[in-house]
Amino acid sequence: MASAIAAKLMALSTLRRKQAKNFTVRICTMESDLEFSCEVLDQEVPKEEPIILHFLAKFYPEDAEEELVQDATQHLFFLQVKNKILEEEIHCPPEASVLLASYAVHAKYGDYDAKLHKPGFLSQEELLPKRVFNLYQMTAEMWEERITACYAEHRGRTRDEAEMEYLKIAQDLDMYGVNYFFIRNKKGTDLLLGVDALGLHIYEPHNRLTPKCSFPWNEIRNISYSEKEFAIKPLYKKTNVFKFNSSRLRVNKLILQLCIGNHDLFVRRRRVDCLEVQQMKAQAKEERARKQLERQRLEREKQREKHLREEAERARDDLERRLRQLKEEADMANEALMRSEQTADLLAEKAQIAEEEAQLLAQKAAEAGLETQRIKVRALRGQEERRAMEQKMLEAEMLALKMAEESERRAKEAEQLKQDLQEARESERRAKNKLLEITSQAVGPPQPPLADLMPQDLSFSRENLSFDFKDTDMKRLSMEIEKEKVEYMEKSKHLQEQLNELKTEIESLKLKERETPLDILHNQNTEQGTSKHSNFKKVSMAYTLKPMCINTQTSIEYI
């Protein structure tokens, strides 16, 4: 297994050695780096298996947005910086940790969607350093809520843009890009040497945030190395030479390599880019423009698809509303039909009652006639009885007349009820016809499928971009770089306000007794307005950049 790894590394070392100088392969249990020109097993590596290798950026960029041209390089560097922050190799304040975590979540999951990203979707993610969890009386759900709130504000950014925003915030941290080494000065005092893209820094062992003194690369005349002793000679002769030593040979070689590489990159950043770099930047800019056009095209397609979907939903709602209306009309027709049937039954019952009453009146009239005949027979028996009988007969006739009139009136009412019954049955028939007509109209024409409404493919064209760089003197280029830094700080005002707002929200839950020494130092620096760039503001903008010379009195044979 080790021989296979060695073969792969040897093959890797033959590819583009110029670009490989900015990266290193490091074994996780070693402080030094592997040499690409030698086999792995010929170097000082542990004999245990498996051997874990880390492919890391050896030199950190000053401005990640300007120097990280390719997306793959940006993504790998983003993962490296994120891992160092989570492992607390780079100190990060809590409010900045929350904002960085929100950009890391956006780079992984894309735009926030409340339907997909429900509470608890970050429960398995490692987003904040353990120090931040222990520093506040807050649960994981409370941290997730604050991270999600920031994450929702990043809508519309791509993964590359989210990673770049992460790096732009991380590069302003005090420990970003600083390689620390234990050293001793001439008096034997233990110190820390910090090497980064801006220069050399001397720290106290317990304070890695604020350097005691700094030597920018443009103020260093040369660095001499003899056996285990280093000497930093400043540009100005009035400044004393700073000497220090380290007891380990491999560490001394690594310090020397970092000094040479960072100084070389410091000089190259302040010169006009070579033709190869210009071409790479032009290609990257063209690729970004193409991706931007592609995103705009996709966004237009999404908007059009959304519009068509809304129209289809509106048409569906109209059909559903029409169906509900027809259903209501059918229900009303059914109710009218039921009422008509009830009315017809009631009228039929009334007609039957009227017929029975008419038959009863006819029977009473017949009985009155029989009574009249009996009275007439009795009238023959006597005159007086006759008059009385005539009187009674007259009364009986009048009563019979009234009974006949009443019977006729009842007959007319019965006839009228029969007519009403016929009209009710006619109304029932019309209601049934209306119900059949409504039922036949309930089915509408089929809707066209949504697939026919999908947008056609859009085409776009891109223009070739060209760049024309002209040489300028170093002084004017440095002033322009400082001016761009001032403009960048002004643009970062909103970011600083957002960080302050996050810090204010979680400050009440902070546990003072759990603060680490780096947290206390960071808070003191924040109150005093001290940052990683404050030491360089005292240095004059005008300087003469002289080439760095390496004076080695004793030659070193690399193993």
Side-chain angles (χ1 to χ4, degrees):
M1 181 176 180
S3 60
I5 296 175
K8 290 183 180 179
L9 291 178
M10 287 299 294
L12 179 64
S13 64
T14 59
L15 298 175
R16 306 192 68 178
R17 294 181 179 271
K18 293 183 179 180
Q19 293 184 356
K21 291 181 180 180
N22 295 334
F23 297 91
T24 182
V25 176
R26 178 173 298 174
I27 298 179
C28 64
T29 58
M30 298 174 59
E31 295 181 357
S32 59
D33 303 330
L34 295 179
E35 294 291 341
F36 287 165
S37 59
C38 302
E39 293 187 1
V40 175
L41 297 181
D42 293 340
Q43 305 183 48
E44 294 182 7
V45 297
K47 304 304 180 181
E48 58 188 19
E49 292 187 1
I51 302 175
I52 301 176
L53 304 177
H54 295 291
F55 185 68
L56 304 173
K58 190 173 184 179
F59 304 105
Y60 281 64
E62 287 186 37
D63 185 358
E65 187 175 16
E66 178 67 22
E67 299 180 37
L68 300 181
V69 179
Q70 297 180 347
D71 295 338
T73 306
Q74 174 185 308
H75 179 65
L76 294 175
F77 187 66
F78 159 76
L79 295 177
Q80 176 179 340
V81 174
K82 175 186 172 185
N83 185 60
K84 286 187 175 293
I85 291 176
L86 293 179
E87 292 180 356
E88 301 184 20
E89 294 183 21
I90 298 177
H91 179 268
C92 183
E95 60 275 10
S97 299
V98 173
L99 190 57
L100 290 176
S102 66
Y103 280 113
V105 172
H106 188 90
K108 182 175 181 179
Y109 293 98
D111 285 340
Y112 173 75
D113 188 351
K115 296 180 180 179
L116 298 177
H117 306 136
K118 297 181 180 179
F121 79 104
L122 298 178
S123 59
Q124 303 299 325
E125 298 290 340
E126 184 181 3
L127 299 173
L128 297 175
K130 294 181 180 179
R131 173 183 56 84
V132 177
F133 279 109
N134 298 330
L135 192 59
Y136 292 89
Q137 291 179 330
M138 296 175 63
T139 62
E141 291 75 14
M142 297 171 68
W143 285 113
E144 179 181 343
E145 181 180 356
R146 280 165 172 78
I147 293 173
T148 305
C150 296
Y151 169 39
E153 297 178 0
H154 306 329
R155 187 183 303 275
R157 286 186 172 91
T158 62
R159 188 196 76 170
D160 297 337
E161 292 173 348
E163 291 179 352
M164 182 53 65
E165 292 296 329
Y166 187 102
L167 294 176
K168 287 166 66 176
I169 297 173
Q171 70 185 3
D172 291 333
L173 300 176
D174 294 325
M175 295 175 63
Y176 167 84
V178 182
N179 293 280
Y180 295 95
F181 303 94
F182 286 99
I183 61 172
R184 287 183 179 179
N185 58 10
K186 294 186 298 183
K187 298 179 181 180
T189 305
D190 291 332
L191 298 172
L192 278 177
L193 172 67
V195 184
D196 66 358
L198 299 177
L200 300 176
H201 314 278
I202 308 301
Y203 300 86
E204 294 181 350
H206 64 277
N207 184 0
R208 297 193 177 196
L209 297 181
T210 308
K212 293 182 61 177
C213 61
S214 297
F215 300 93
W217 293 120
N218 59 304
E219 291 188 359
I220 297 176
R221 181 182 299 274
N222 61 32
I223 298 178
S224 60
Y225 170 61
S226 174
E227 294 183 354
K228 298 180 181 180
E229 184 178 70
F230 284 86
I232 302 175
K233 296 181 180 180
L235 183 65
Y236 305 103
K237 297 181 179 181
K238 296 181 180 180
T239 307
N240 295 329
V241 177
F242 181 80
K243 295 183 179 181
F244 63 90
N245 60 70
S246 176
S247 59
R248 299 182 60 183
L249 179 61
R250 292 183 65 88
V251 174
N252 293 340
K253 292 165 58 179
L254 181 58
I255 292 174
L256 187 62
Q257 292 175 4
L258 289 174
C259 290
I260 296 173
N262 278 299
H263 180 269
D264 182 54
L265 291 174
F266 182 84
V267 174
R268 288 198 302 176
R269 290 187 187 107
R270 284 147 182 83
R271 292 177 180 172
V272 178
D273 294 331
C274 63
L275 182 60
E276 182 181 359
V277 175
Q278 292 180 15
Q279 291 176 351
M280 291 177 60
K281 289 185 176 181
Q283 292 175 358
K285 188 173 182 179
E286 183 179 354
E287 182 66 18
R288 285 194 294 268
R290 186 188 66 79
K291 290 183 178 180
Q292 182 66 22
L293 291 176
E294 182 67 17
R295 286 196 300 270
Q296 292 176 358
R297 185 182 68 83
L298 292 176
E299 187 65 24
R300 286 195 300 269
E301 289 182 356
K302 289 181 180 179
Q303 292 295 333
R304 184 176 179 184
E305 182 180 355
K306 181 180 179 181
H307 180 67
L308 294 176
R309 190 186 305 111
E310 290 176 353
E311 289 184 351
E313 290 177 355
R314 283 196 298 270
R316 184 192 62 189
D317 294 338
D318 291 340
L319 290 175
E320 290 179 352
R321 186 171 57 256
R322 178 61 179 166
L323 181 60
R324 287 194 300 269
Q325 184 178 359
L326 292 174
K327 186 177 180 181
E328 291 175 358
E329 292 180 358
D331 293 339
M332 293 175 62
N334 287 328
E335 291 178 0
L337 178 61
M338 293 177 61
R339 286 195 299 269
S340 299
E341 292 177 352
Q342 292 175 359
T343 304
D345 295 339
L346 182 60
L347 291 175
E349 184 179 356
K350 287 184 177 180
Q352 184 179 358
I353 293 173
E355 288 179 357
E356 291 177 356
E357 290 179 353
Q359 291 176 1
L360 182 59
L361 290 174
Q363 184 180 359
K364 288 183 178 181
E367 291 178 355
L370 294 174
E371 184 66 22
T372 302
Q373 291 178 2
R374 285 194 298 270
I375 291 173
K376 286 180 180 181
V377 173
R378 291 173 185 167
L380 296 175
R381 297 178 181 178
Q383 190 65 26
E384 292 180 359
E385 291 180 1
R386 187 183 301 162
R387 286 195 295 269
M389 293 297 293
E390 288 178 358
Q391 183 67 27
K392 290 181 179 182
M393 185 180 62
L394 181 59
E395 292 176 359
E397 288 179 354
M398 291 179 63
L399 180 59
L401 182 60
K402 289 181 180 180
M403 289 293 183
E405 291 178 355
E406 182 68 18
S407 177
E408 185 179 357
R409 185 178 66 80
R410 293 291 184 178
K412 290 181 179 180
E413 288 181 358
E415 186 66 26
Q416 183 65 33
L417 289 175
K418 290 181 180 180
Q419 292 179 2
D420 294 339
L421 178 60
Q422 291 179 358
E423 291 178 358
R425 290 176 176 173
E426 183 64 24
S427 299
E428 180 182 358
R429 183 183 62 78
R430 289 197 301 271
K432 290 181 178 178
N433 293 336
K434 179 65 175 177
L435 178 62
L436 293 175
E437 181 181 355
I438 293 174
T439 306
S440 63
Q441 294 179 357
V443 181
Q447 294 295 321
L450 289 177
D452 298 337
L453 302 177
M454 291 300 293
Q456 301 295 327
D457 291 338
L458 301 177
S459 61
F460 61 95
S461 62
R462 61 185 184 184
E463 298 178 359
N464 293 327
L465 303 176
S466 62
F467 299 87
D468 185 12
F469 292 88
K470 296 182 178 180
D471 293 335
T472 58
D473 57 287
M474 292 295 294
K475 180 178 179 180
R476 186 169 64 83
L477 185 57
S478 299
M479 292 178 67
E480 289 179 358
I481 292 173
E482 294 298 328
K483 183 178 179 182
E484 291 178 358
K485 289 183 179 179
V486 173
E487 293 177 354
Y488 170 74
M489 294 301 294
E490 292 177 354
K491 293 179 181 179
S492 301
K493 185 177 181 181
H494 173 70
L495 175 63
Q496 191 63 34
E497 292 176 354
Q498 191 175 9
L499 291 175
N500 292 333
E501 182 179 353
L502 285 172
K503 183 177 181 180
T504 304
E505 289 180 358
I506 64 177
E507 189 66 25
S508 60
L509 301 174
K510 188 174 183 180
L511 298 175
K512 296 289 185 179
E513 63 273 9
R514 294 185 181 180
E515 287 186 331
T516 63
L518 291 180
D519 292 326
I520 297 174
L521 291 171
H522 178 268
N523 294 334
Q524 292 176 357
N525 292 342
T526 304
E527 292 176 358
Q528 296 174 2
T530 305
S531 66
K532 66 186 293 184
H533 302 288
S534 60
N535 292 316
F536 297 102
K537 292 183 180 179
K538 301 177 183 179
V539 182
S540 174
M541 295 298 295
Y543 62 86
T544 303
L545 183 62
K546 295 188 177 181
M548 177 180 178
C549 61
I550 306 300
N551 181 15
T552 58
Q553 298 177 5
T554 303
S555 61
I556 301 174
E557 181 179 355
Y558 290 87
I559 300 174

